[in-house]
Amino acid sequence: MSKPNLARRVAQAAEIALTTRKYVTFIDVVTGLRWLHTRHVDVWRQGRAGTLAELAAVDEDRLLVTAGLLREWALAKGLRPVETPYVAGTRDRRELRFVKGPDQAPFRVHWLSPDLSEARVRRLTEAQSKAPDLMVVAPLEPFTCASCGDTGPYLIMEDDEPHCLTCADLDHLVFLPSGNAALSRRAKQESGLSAVVVQYNRRRKVYQRKGLLVEEAALAAAEERCLADEEVRLRRRERDRVRRAEQDVEFQAKMAAEIARLFPGCPEPRAREIAEHAGQRGSGRVGRSAAAKALDENAITLAVIASIRHLDTDYDRLLMAGVPRMEARDRVRDVIERKLEEFRRPG
Protein backbone atom coordinates (compact mmCIF):
# COMPACT_ATOMS: atom_id res chain seq x y z
CA MET A 1 0.00 0.00 0.00
CA SER A 2 1.39 3.42 -0.93
CA LYS A 3 1.91 5.99 1.82
CA PRO A 4 -0.73 8.43 0.42
CA ASN A 5 -3.27 5.61 0.28
CA LEU A 6 -2.39 4.56 3.84
CA ALA A 7 -2.68 8.17 5.00
CA ARG A 8 -6.19 8.35 3.50
CA ARG A 9 -7.28 5.15 5.24
CA VAL A 10 -5.78 6.28 8.55
CA ALA A 11 -7.71 9.55 8.24
CA GLN A 12 -10.97 7.70 7.53
CA ALA A 13 -10.58 5.40 10.54
CA ALA A 14 -9.61 8.33 12.77
CA GLU A 15 -12.56 10.45 11.61
CA ILE A 16 -14.98 7.67 12.56
CA ALA A 17 -13.51 7.39 16.07
CA LEU A 18 -13.46 11.18 16.50
CA THR A 19 -17.08 11.50 15.42
CA THR A 20 -18.15 8.70 17.75
CA ARG A 21 -16.19 9.53 20.91
CA LYS A 22 -14.59 12.98 20.44
CA TYR A 23 -11.10 11.49 20.77
CA VAL A 24 -8.87 9.11 18.80
CA THR A 25 -6.33 6.50 19.85
CA PHE A 26 -3.79 4.46 17.92
CA ILE A 27 -5.81 1.33 18.74
CA ASP A 28 -8.94 2.93 17.20
CA VAL A 29 -7.02 3.34 13.95
CA VAL A 30 -5.41 -0.12 13.70
CA THR A 31 -8.70 -1.85 14.54
CA GLY A 32 -10.46 0.42 12.04
CA LEU A 33 -7.91 -0.65 9.42
CA ARG A 34 -8.66 -4.27 10.41
CA TRP A 35 -5.03 -5.02 11.17
CA LEU A 36 -6.16 -6.05 14.64
CA HIS A 37 -9.41 -7.49 15.92
CA THR A 38 -10.82 -6.40 19.27
CA ARG A 39 -10.17 -9.93 20.56
CA HIS A 40 -6.46 -9.40 19.89
CA VAL A 41 -6.55 -6.18 21.88
CA ASP A 42 -8.28 -8.04 24.73
CA VAL A 43 -5.54 -10.70 24.78
CA TRP A 44 -2.90 -7.97 24.86
CA ARG A 45 -4.63 -6.03 27.64
CA GLN A 46 -4.82 -9.23 29.69
CA GLY A 47 -1.02 -9.39 29.53
CA ARG A 48 -1.01 -12.55 27.41
CA ALA A 49 1.14 -11.14 24.60
CA GLY A 50 4.58 -9.55 24.76
CA THR A 51 3.65 -6.74 22.37
CA LEU A 52 0.60 -5.63 20.44
CA ALA A 53 2.63 -5.96 17.23
CA GLU A 54 2.85 -9.74 17.74
CA LEU A 55 -0.90 -9.97 17.14
CA ALA A 56 -1.14 -7.51 14.25
CA ALA A 57 -1.53 -8.44 10.58
CA VAL A 58 1.32 -6.04 9.63
CA ASP A 59 4.91 -5.59 10.81
CA GLU A 60 6.24 -3.11 13.37
CA ASP A 61 7.54 -0.71 10.70
CA ARG A 62 4.03 -0.33 9.28
CA LEU A 63 2.66 0.34 12.77
CA LEU A 64 5.30 3.05 13.32
CA VAL A 65 4.40 4.69 10.00
CA THR A 66 0.72 4.55 10.94
CA ALA A 67 1.37 6.23 14.31
CA GLY A 68 3.23 8.99 12.46
CA LEU A 69 0.41 9.47 9.98
CA LEU A 70 -2.12 9.61 12.82
CA ARG A 71 -0.03 12.33 14.49
CA GLU A 72 0.13 14.38 11.26
CA TRP A 73 -3.63 14.08 10.75
CA ALA A 74 -4.40 14.94 14.39
CA LEU A 75 -2.16 18.02 14.45
CA ALA A 76 -3.71 19.25 11.20
CA LYS A 77 -7.15 18.87 12.82
CA GLY A 78 -6.03 20.82 15.88
CA LEU A 79 -6.50 17.89 18.28
CA ARG A 80 -4.94 17.96 21.73
CA PRO A 81 -2.33 15.25 22.51
CA VAL A 82 -2.54 13.53 25.90
CA GLU A 83 -0.07 10.73 26.64
CA THR A 84 -1.85 7.93 28.48
CA PRO A 85 -0.38 4.97 30.40
CA TYR A 86 -1.32 1.47 29.27
CA VAL A 87 -0.99 -1.21 31.95
CA ALA A 88 -1.94 -4.89 31.90
CA GLY A 89 -4.90 -6.38 33.74
CA THR A 90 -2.52 -8.55 35.78
CA ARG A 91 -1.53 -8.45 39.45
CA ASP A 92 1.83 -6.82 38.66
CA ARG A 93 0.12 -4.03 36.61
CA ARG A 94 3.08 -4.04 34.24
CA GLU A 95 3.30 -1.53 31.40
CA LEU A 96 1.91 -2.81 28.13
CA ARG A 97 4.21 -2.65 25.13
CA PHE A 98 3.06 -1.87 21.60
CA VAL A 99 6.31 -2.81 19.83
CA LYS A 100 9.65 -4.33 20.86
CA GLY A 101 11.57 -1.06 20.51
CA PRO A 102 12.21 1.28 23.45
CA ASP A 103 9.97 4.13 22.28
CA GLN A 104 6.31 3.44 23.14
CA ALA A 105 5.26 7.10 23.37
CA PRO A 106 3.91 7.53 19.80
CA PHE A 107 1.37 4.76 20.44
CA ARG A 108 0.18 5.94 23.86
CA VAL A 109 -1.03 9.37 22.76
CA HIS A 110 -4.77 10.00 22.85
CA TRP A 111 -5.86 12.83 20.54
CA LEU A 112 -8.70 14.85 22.06
CA SER A 113 -11.14 17.11 20.21
CA PRO A 114 -10.81 20.83 21.04
CA ASP A 115 -14.61 20.86 21.42
CA LEU A 116 -14.38 18.86 24.65
CA SER A 117 -14.99 20.84 27.82
CA GLU A 118 -12.29 20.98 30.47
CA ALA A 119 -14.47 18.89 32.79
CA ARG A 120 -14.88 16.19 30.11
CA VAL A 121 -11.13 16.26 29.38
CA ARG A 122 -10.41 15.85 33.08
CA ARG A 123 -12.82 12.90 33.37
CA LEU A 124 -11.34 11.24 30.30
CA THR A 125 -7.79 11.73 31.54
CA GLU A 126 -8.64 10.29 34.95
CA ALA A 127 -10.43 7.30 33.41
CA GLN A 128 -7.60 6.58 30.99
CA SER A 129 -4.92 6.81 33.67
CA LYS A 130 -6.69 4.36 36.01
CA ALA A 131 -5.26 0.86 36.20
CA PRO A 132 -7.51 -1.63 34.38
CA ASP A 133 -9.58 -4.22 36.21
CA LEU A 134 -7.89 -7.43 37.20
CA MET A 135 -8.84 -10.05 34.62
CA VAL A 136 -9.70 -13.60 35.67
CA VAL A 137 -10.46 -16.28 33.09
CA ALA A 138 -13.08 -19.01 33.41
CA PRO A 139 -11.21 -21.64 31.31
CA LEU A 140 -13.02 -23.88 28.87
CA GLU A 141 -10.64 -26.74 29.67
CA PRO A 142 -8.77 -27.81 32.85
CA PHE A 143 -5.49 -26.01 33.49
CA THR A 144 -2.51 -26.60 35.74
CA CYS A 145 -1.47 -23.88 38.16
CA ALA A 146 2.16 -22.88 37.63
CA SER A 147 2.69 -22.52 41.41
CA CYS A 148 0.95 -25.45 43.09
CA GLY A 149 0.20 -27.80 40.18
CA ASP A 150 -3.49 -27.86 41.14
CA THR A 151 -6.42 -26.50 39.13
CA GLY A 152 -9.67 -24.64 39.80
CA PRO A 153 -12.69 -22.89 38.23
CA TYR A 154 -10.73 -19.71 37.43
CA LEU A 155 -7.19 -18.73 36.49
CA ILE A 156 -5.24 -15.49 36.44
CA MET A 157 -2.14 -14.88 34.35
CA GLU A 158 1.06 -13.90 36.18
CA ASP A 159 4.48 -13.88 34.51
CA ASP A 160 2.77 -15.27 31.39
CA GLU A 161 1.70 -18.41 33.29
CA PRO A 162 -1.69 -19.50 34.68
CA HIS A 163 -2.21 -19.44 38.44
CA CYS A 164 -5.18 -20.60 40.50
CA LEU A 165 -7.02 -18.12 42.70
CA THR A 166 -5.58 -19.64 45.89
CA CYS A 167 -2.02 -18.96 44.78
CA ALA A 168 -3.05 -15.50 43.55
CA ASP A 169 -4.67 -14.70 46.97
CA LEU A 170 -8.07 -14.21 45.35
CA ASP A 171 -9.83 -17.35 46.60
CA HIS A 172 -11.77 -15.42 49.30
CA LEU A 173 -13.78 -13.58 46.63
CA VAL A 174 -17.27 -14.68 45.58
CA PHE A 175 -18.70 -14.74 42.06
CA LEU A 176 -21.40 -12.26 41.01
CA PRO A 177 -22.79 -13.12 37.56
CA SER A 178 -23.52 -10.40 35.00
CA GLY A 179 -27.08 -9.26 34.48
CA ASN A 180 -27.74 -6.67 37.19
CA ALA A 181 -25.73 -3.57 36.30
CA ALA A 182 -26.57 -1.62 39.48
CA LEU A 183 -25.67 -4.53 41.76
CA SER A 184 -22.41 -5.19 39.90
CA ARG A 185 -21.41 -1.52 39.97
CA ARG A 186 -22.14 -1.14 43.68
CA ALA A 187 -20.50 -4.42 44.65
CA LYS A 188 -17.36 -3.33 42.87
CA GLN A 189 -17.46 0.06 44.65
CA GLU A 190 -17.83 -1.62 48.04
CA SER A 191 -15.13 -4.24 47.43
CA GLY A 192 -11.52 -3.40 48.25
CA LEU A 193 -10.40 -6.14 45.84
CA SER A 194 -12.28 -7.28 42.76
CA ALA A 195 -11.70 -8.91 39.37
CA VAL A 196 -13.62 -9.21 36.12
CA VAL A 197 -14.38 -12.77 35.03
CA VAL A 198 -14.24 -13.48 31.30
CA GLN A 199 -14.61 -16.60 29.19
CA TYR A 200 -13.55 -17.28 25.61
CA ASN A 201 -16.37 -17.69 23.10
CA ARG A 202 -15.07 -20.05 20.42
CA ARG A 203 -17.83 -19.22 17.95
CA ARG A 204 -17.37 -15.45 18.13
CA LYS A 205 -13.63 -15.71 18.93
CA VAL A 206 -13.79 -13.10 21.70
CA TYR A 207 -13.52 -13.04 25.48
CA GLN A 208 -16.93 -12.28 26.94
CA ARG A 209 -17.61 -10.89 30.39
CA LYS A 210 -19.32 -13.40 32.68
CA GLY A 211 -19.37 -11.46 35.95
CA LEU A 212 -17.27 -10.21 38.86
CA LEU A 213 -15.34 -11.63 41.78
CA VAL A 214 -15.96 -9.43 44.85
CA GLU A 215 -15.67 -9.62 48.61
CA GLU A 216 -18.65 -11.31 50.24
CA ALA A 217 -19.31 -8.40 52.62
CA ALA A 218 -19.23 -5.99 49.67
CA LEU A 219 -21.85 -8.03 47.83
CA ALA A 220 -24.13 -8.00 50.89
CA ALA A 221 -23.77 -4.22 51.25
CA ALA A 222 -24.49 -3.71 47.54
CA GLU A 223 -27.63 -5.86 47.76
CA GLU A 224 -28.93 -3.71 50.64
CA ARG A 225 -28.32 -0.52 48.64
CA CYS A 226 -30.16 -1.92 45.63
CA LEU A 227 -33.18 -2.96 47.70
CA ALA A 228 -33.37 0.54 49.23
CA ASP A 229 -33.80 2.38 45.91
CA GLU A 230 -35.27 -0.27 43.63
CA GLU A 231 -38.40 1.78 42.77
CA VAL A 232 -36.36 4.86 41.86
CA ARG A 233 -34.13 2.80 39.56
CA LEU A 234 -37.18 1.27 37.86
CA ARG A 235 -38.52 4.74 37.01
CA ARG A 236 -35.10 5.83 35.77
CA ARG A 237 -34.82 2.76 33.52
CA GLU A 238 -38.18 3.57 31.96
CA ARG A 239 -37.08 7.15 31.24
CA ASP A 240 -33.83 5.85 29.74
CA ARG A 241 -35.78 3.39 27.57
CA VAL A 242 -37.91 6.22 26.14
CA ARG A 243 -34.84 8.40 25.57
CA ARG A 244 -33.00 5.60 23.73
CA ALA A 245 -36.03 4.94 21.53
CA GLU A 246 -36.12 8.63 20.58
CA GLN A 247 -32.41 8.57 19.78
CA ASP A 248 -32.89 5.48 17.60
CA VAL A 249 -35.65 7.16 15.60
CA GLU A 250 -33.47 10.22 15.05
CA PHE A 251 -30.45 8.14 14.01
CA GLN A 252 -32.51 5.99 11.62
CA ALA A 253 -33.96 9.12 10.01
CA LYS A 254 -30.45 10.48 9.40
CA MET A 255 -29.37 7.12 7.99
CA ALA A 256 -32.39 7.00 5.65
CA ALA A 257 -31.55 10.53 4.43
CA GLU A 258 -27.96 9.48 3.73
CA ILE A 259 -29.18 6.40 1.81
CA ALA A 260 -31.41 8.69 -0.28
CA ARG A 261 -28.43 10.98 -0.98
CA LEU A 262 -26.08 8.16 -2.00
CA PHE A 263 -28.77 6.17 -3.82
CA PRO A 264 -31.28 8.68 -5.25
CA GLY A 265 -33.02 5.91 -7.20
CA CYS A 266 -33.87 3.99 -4.03
CA PRO A 267 -37.58 4.48 -3.18
CA GLU A 268 -38.13 6.43 0.01
CA PRO A 269 -40.04 3.61 1.81
CA ARG A 270 -37.20 1.21 0.96
CA ALA A 271 -34.59 3.63 2.30
CA ARG A 272 -36.54 3.93 5.57
CA GLU A 273 -36.91 0.16 5.78
CA ILE A 274 -33.16 -0.36 5.28
CA ALA A 275 -32.32 2.24 7.94
CA GLU A 276 -34.78 0.82 10.48
CA HIS A 277 -33.57 -2.75 9.93
CA ALA A 278 -29.83 -2.02 9.87
CA GLY A 279 -29.98 0.53 12.70
CA GLN A 280 -31.96 -1.56 15.16
CA ARG A 281 -30.43 -1.30 18.64
CA GLY A 282 -28.84 -4.53 19.87
CA SER A 283 -29.03 -6.21 16.46
CA GLY A 284 -25.27 -6.25 15.84
CA ARG A 285 -25.96 -5.27 12.22
CA VAL A 286 -23.79 -2.97 10.17
CA GLY A 287 -26.08 -0.05 10.94
CA ARG A 288 -25.06 -0.19 14.61
CA SER A 289 -21.33 -0.06 13.85
CA ALA A 290 -19.25 3.01 14.69
CA ALA A 291 -18.76 3.66 10.98
CA ALA A 292 -22.50 3.65 10.30
CA LYS A 293 -23.18 5.94 13.27
CA ALA A 294 -20.72 8.37 11.67
CA LEU A 295 -22.70 7.93 8.40
CA ASP A 296 -19.62 6.50 6.69
CA GLU A 297 -20.33 5.94 2.98
CA ASN A 298 -18.90 2.42 2.96
CA ALA A 299 -20.98 1.34 5.97
CA ILE A 300 -24.17 2.80 4.45
CA THR A 301 -23.44 1.00 1.18
CA LEU A 302 -22.95 -2.30 3.03
CA ALA A 303 -26.38 -1.86 4.66
CA VAL A 304 -27.98 -1.31 1.23
CA ILE A 305 -26.15 -4.33 -0.21
CA ALA A 306 -27.37 -6.51 2.68
CA SER A 307 -30.96 -5.44 1.97
CA ILE A 308 -30.63 -6.19 -1.75
CA ARG A 309 -29.00 -9.55 -1.05
CA HIS A 310 -31.90 -10.76 1.09
CA LEU A 311 -34.85 -9.11 -0.70
CA ASP A 312 -33.88 -8.97 -4.39
CA THR A 313 -31.85 -12.14 -4.97
CA ASP A 314 -32.06 -15.91 -4.42
CA TYR A 315 -29.45 -15.71 -1.67
CA ASP A 316 -31.67 -16.95 1.18
CA ARG A 317 -33.03 -19.80 -0.95
CA LEU A 318 -29.48 -20.85 -1.84
CA LEU A 319 -28.52 -20.96 1.82
CA MET A 320 -31.57 -23.08 2.63
CA ALA A 321 -30.54 -25.44 -0.17
CA GLY A 322 -27.18 -25.98 1.52
CA VAL A 323 -25.03 -23.81 -0.75
CA PRO A 324 -21.96 -22.50 1.17
CA ARG A 325 -22.32 -18.86 2.17
CA MET A 326 -19.42 -17.49 0.11
CA GLU A 327 -20.46 -19.47 -2.96
CA ALA A 328 -24.02 -18.17 -2.58
CA ARG A 329 -22.68 -14.61 -2.41
CA ASP A 330 -20.67 -15.16 -5.58
CA ARG A 331 -23.79 -16.40 -7.39
CA VAL A 332 -25.85 -13.31 -6.56
CA ARG A 333 -23.08 -10.71 -6.97
CA ASP A 334 -24.12 -9.66 -10.49
CA VAL A 335 -27.74 -9.17 -9.42
CA ILE A 336 -26.59 -7.00 -6.51
CA GLU A 337 -24.39 -4.85 -8.77
CA ARG A 338 -27.26 -4.27 -11.21
CA LYS A 339 -29.60 -3.28 -8.38
CA LEU A 340 -26.98 -0.94 -6.92
CA GLU A 341 -26.62 0.77 -10.30
CA GLU A 342 -30.39 1.12 -10.47
CA PHE A 343 -30.47 2.71 -7.01
CA ARG A 344 -27.64 5.09 -7.92
CA ARG A 345 -29.56 6.51 -10.90
CA PRO A 346 -31.78 9.47 -9.96
CA GLY A 347 -35.47 8.84 -10.31
Side-chain angles (χ1 to χ4, degrees):
M1 187 189 308
S2 66
K3 191 170 181 179
N5 191 28
L6 177 58
R8 177 181 57 79
R9 292 186 60 201
V10 167
Q12 287 176 342
E15 284 282 4
I16 289 171
L18 183 64
T19 302
T20 305
R21 298 190 303 177
K22 300 297 184 182
Y23 68 93
V24 186
T25 70
F26 173 76
I27 291 177
D28 291 331
V29 171
V30 291
T31 53
L33 293 172
R34 298 187 179 180
W35 292 347
L36 279 167
H37 193 279
T38 52
R39 65 175 179 271
H40 298 136
V41 179
D42 290 341
V43 168
W44 174 67
R45 288 189 181 278
Q46 291 166 20
R48 301 175 64 193
T51 66
L52 187 64
E54 293 174 11
L55 307 173
V58 295
D59 58 26
E60 290 193 5
D61 289 341
R62 182 55 60 89
L63 295 180
L64 282 165
V65 170
T66 300
L69 291 172
L70 172 59
R71 175 183 175 81
E72 292 174 8
W73 172 86
L75 291 175
K77 295 279 289 188
L79 304 188
R80 181 191 310 185
V82 176
E83 188 168 333
T84 305
Y86 280 79
V87 294
T90 55
R91 290 294 294 271
D92 58 5
R93 302 300 198 187
R94 67 177 179 272
E95 180 182 322
L96 290 168
R97 299 182 63 80
F98 290 81
V99 294
K100 292 180 180 178
D103 189 10
Q104 308 294 313
F107 307 100
R108 292 200 297 255
V109 177
H110 288 197
W111 297 96
L112 277 56
S113 168
D115 297 334
L116 287 175
S117 66
E118 286 301 322
R120 177 80 187 280
V121 170
R122 187 166 56 254
R123 288 196 300 270
L124 278 175
T125 305
E126 290 172 356
Q128 291 162 0
S129 60
K130 284 176 59 179
D133 293 321
L134 286 174
M135 197 76 67
V136 166
V137 178
L140 298 176
E141 298 175 356
F143 73 97
T144 301
C145 175
S147 294
C148 67
D150 203 351
T151 187
Y154 307 108
L155 66 86
I156 185 169
M157 298 297 294
E158 290 186 356
D159 300 323
D160 297 327
E161 292 181 318
H163 294 262
C164 67
L165 296 194
T166 300
C167 293
D169 294 328
L170 297 172
D171 57 339
H172 64 293
L173 303 180
V174 296
F175 178 64
L176 171 61
S178 299
N180 187 325
L183 181 60
S184 296
R185 182 177 64 255
R186 289 171 172 178
K188 186 178 177 182
Q189 290 171 351
E190 298 280 354
S191 190
L193 179 63
S194 65
V196 175
V197 179
V198 298
Q199 188 172 58
Y200 189 68
N201 184 317
R202 287 196 176 107
R203 183 177 63 83
R204 298 184 63 189
K205 298 181 179 179
V206 294
Y207 279 91
Q208 295 181 315
R209 184 173 178 141
K210 307 302 289 185
L212 289 172
L213 290 175
V214 295
E215 295 167 346
E216 192 166 3
L219 178 56
E223 288 172 337
E224 289 183 9
R225 288 174 60 187
C226 287
L227 286 173
D229 65 355
E230 184 175 6
E231 185 177 346
V232 173
R233 288 185 293 108
L234 283 173
R235 291 199 298 268
R236 184 183 301 144
R237 279 201 295 271
E238 178 61 21
R239 290 197 302 271
D240 290 344
R241 185 191 64 79
V242 173
R243 176 178 52 80
R244 287 193 298 269
E246 292 172 349
Q247 290 173 342
D248 286 350
V249 169
E250 182 180 353
F251 165 64
Q252 289 167 3
K254 290 180 179 178
M255 189 176 180
E258 186 64 9
I259 292 172
R261 186 185 72 82
L262 295 172
F263 301 93
C266 179
E268 183 180 343
R270 180 72 178 271
R272 285 200 309 270
E273 178 187 334
I274 294 171
E276 290 169 2
H277 179 77
Q280 183 179 343
R281 184 180 293 268
S283 65
R285 300 181 184 121
V286 66
R288 298 305 302 183
S289 66
K293 289 177 183 177
L295 299 180
D296 176 70
E297 181 175 340
N298 184 56
I300 299 297
T301 301
L302 289 175
V304 174
I305 288 174
S307 174
I308 294 172
R309 182 183 295 123
H310 291 293
L311 299 182
D312 301 289
T313 75
D314 292 332
Y315 179 72
D316 290 350
R317 183 183 61 78
L318 292 171
L319 292 183
M320 287 297 293
V323 177
R325 183 169 60 90
M326 297 312 296
E327 181 182 338
R329 289 195 173 199
D330 286 339
R331 291 191 190 183
V332 301
R333 183 169 287 116
D334 290 343
V335 177
I336 291 174
E337 289 299 327
R338 287 196 296 270
K339 195 68 177 178
L340 281 175
E341 285 302 315
E342 177 186 327
F343 280 174
R344 287 190 177 107
R345 289 195 298 268

